[in-house]
Amino acid sequence: MPRFYTEEHEWVEVDGEIATVGITDFAQGQLGDIVFVEVPDTGVELTKGGDAAVVESVKAASDIYAPVDGTVTEGNSALEEDPALANSDPEGEGWFFRMTLSDKAQLDGLMDSKGYKAYCDAL
């Protein structure tokens, strides 16, 4: 499945019309120990760049932005119950939400893994 990245350090894995969204390992490393996560409710309409979820760590609270337009189909309840999943497996079981894609063409504006690595290396 293709995976894309945003400059805000979210990853997006696409399977057909469904996208799974989480934060990158780089992001969780910058946040430190994550102590609270709020994922969006099923059915919420998200707009690219708009607030989608909230994550709080011992260092700061941060918003997680929608990488593309779409409708939330599932929030990761396991992550709300165990926020440390975002630290221990940020790009696996620590995903934040799944959404249907409204406009797959928006994925063209995101980075691939090679581009994201170069972006992080330049920070």
Side-chain angles (χ1 to χ4, degrees):
M1 290 181 274
R3 185 173 276 208
F4 304 91
Y5 299 87
T6 71
E7 291 183 354
E8 290 74 32
H9 306 286
E10 290 105 5
W11 57 265
V12 184
E13 190 167 88
V14 178
D15 184 10
E17 298 299 317
I18 301 294
T20 302
V21 179
I23 62 172
T24 65
D25 187 57
F26 179 89
Q28 71 81 23
Q30 294 294 306
L31 287 165
D33 292 337
I34 294 172
V35 296
F36 175 81
V37 172
E38 180 181 314
V39 298
D41 293 329
T42 299
V44 170
E45 300 277 336
L46 299 176
T47 302
K48 181 179 180 179
D51 295 345
V54 175
V55 61
E56 292 182 18
S57 71
V58 294
K59 292 181 179 177
S62 299
D63 290 322
I64 305 301
Y65 303 104
V68 292
D69 294 348
T71 304
V72 175
T73 59
E74 181 181 4
N76 188 353
S77 60
L79 187 60
E80 286 187 316
E81 294 168 14
D82 182 13
L85 267 177
N87 289 119
S88 63
D89 194 9
E91 300 193 33
E93 294 301 311
W95 58 275
F96 277 61
F97 58 93
R98 291 192 169 112
M99 62 191 297
T100 57
L101 300 170
S102 297
D103 182 2
K104 286 184 87 169
Q106 290 178 331
L107 296 169
D108 294 340
L110 303 178
M111 294 177 274
D112 61 13
S113 61
K114 185 176 177 181
Y116 180 70
K117 182 182 182 319
Y119 175 76
C120 289
D121 288 347
L123 295 177

